[in-house]
Amino acid sequence: MSERYVQVSLDKRGVQCTAKLLDDRAPVTCAAVWEALPLGSDVYHAKYARNEIYALFPAFAAEEPPLENPTITPIPGDLCYFTFSEAELGAASYGYDEQAVRGRRTVVDLALFYERNNLLINGDVGWVPGIVWGSVVDGLDAMAEACQDLWRAGAVDETLSFRRA
């Protein structure tokens, strides 16, 4: 199989990076994401993991991928895939808009980690392993700067998008 790439962007800020799909390490996840592209939704900055931005989507795979190429310590440039139930994300403390999680049996979280020292632990449920399905190969510095701006200035009206490159 030839190498495949996705473009990850913060649309309002006009910043993007390019990531290589890790088909050799997470083939089921890569196939599911690739077939679902393009995807875009409201962006959130992580409360718990530290240097992470992510978007939430309704389930898009016929069957959720297995926990392939898992991590609890993502590194800069990792793209991770998580699945949650509505019950796991429904608490008011998470701050999600009703439309982000309500009525969705499965919620898919596609995340970009942009800096070091991340730990995937949540005070409510404990360890939250993610599937590493992509790795940024170009544009991470500019994206990290935009992610820091997102943290400081806010995420309102910003969209995180994933497209075939």
Side-chain angles (χ1 to χ4, degrees):
M1 175 181 283
S2 63
E3 294 180 341
R4 299 187 293 179
Y5 295 87
V6 294
Q7 179 186 77
V8 182
S9 61
L10 288 169
D11 297 331
K12 181 178 170 184
R13 285 171 171 78
V15 178
Q16 64 190 32
C17 60
T18 303
K20 178 184 172 198
L21 270 66
L22 301 177
D23 285 300
D24 57 331
R25 297 181 185 176
V28 176
T29 306
C30 289
V33 172
W34 187 257
E35 289 306 313
L37 295 177
L39 292 166
S41 189
D42 290 344
V43 67
Y44 298 93
H45 196 287
K47 285 183 175 182
Y48 302 107
R50 193 166 181 179
N51 300 299
E52 170 195 4
I53 61 168
Y54 62 96
L56 302 175
F57 302 95
F60 49 77
E63 186 174 313
E64 284 306 307
L67 189 58
E68 52 186 2
N69 200 29
T71 190
I72 57 166
T73 55
I75 62 173
D78 277 352
L79 297 182
C80 288
Y81 181 108
F82 303 89
T83 56
F84 300 100
S85 70
E86 173 188 1
E88 289 173 296
L89 298 181
S93 63
Y94 288 103
Y96 296 123
D97 182 279
E98 285 279 324
Q99 298 158 326
V101 296
R102 295 282 185 248
R104 295 183 183 177
R105 185 175 180 162
T106 301
V107 178
V108 173
D109 169 335
L110 294 182
L112 165 68
F113 291 84
Y114 63 88
E115 188 49 81
R116 300 173 41 132
N117 299 322
N118 303 294
L119 186 59
L120 300 179
I121 190 166
N122 176 295
D124 294 336
V125 297
W127 298 109
V128 183
I131 300 168
V132 182
W133 61 274
S135 180
V136 174
V137 295
D138 185 52
L140 184 58
D141 290 342
M143 182 61 83
E145 187 176 317
C147 291
Q148 283 293 337
D149 180 63
L150 186 88
W151 173 250
R152 304 249 332 156
V156 174
D157 296 326
E158 181 63 86
T159 302
L160 180 62
S161 295
F162 300 83
R163 296 176 182 84
R164 293 180 183 184

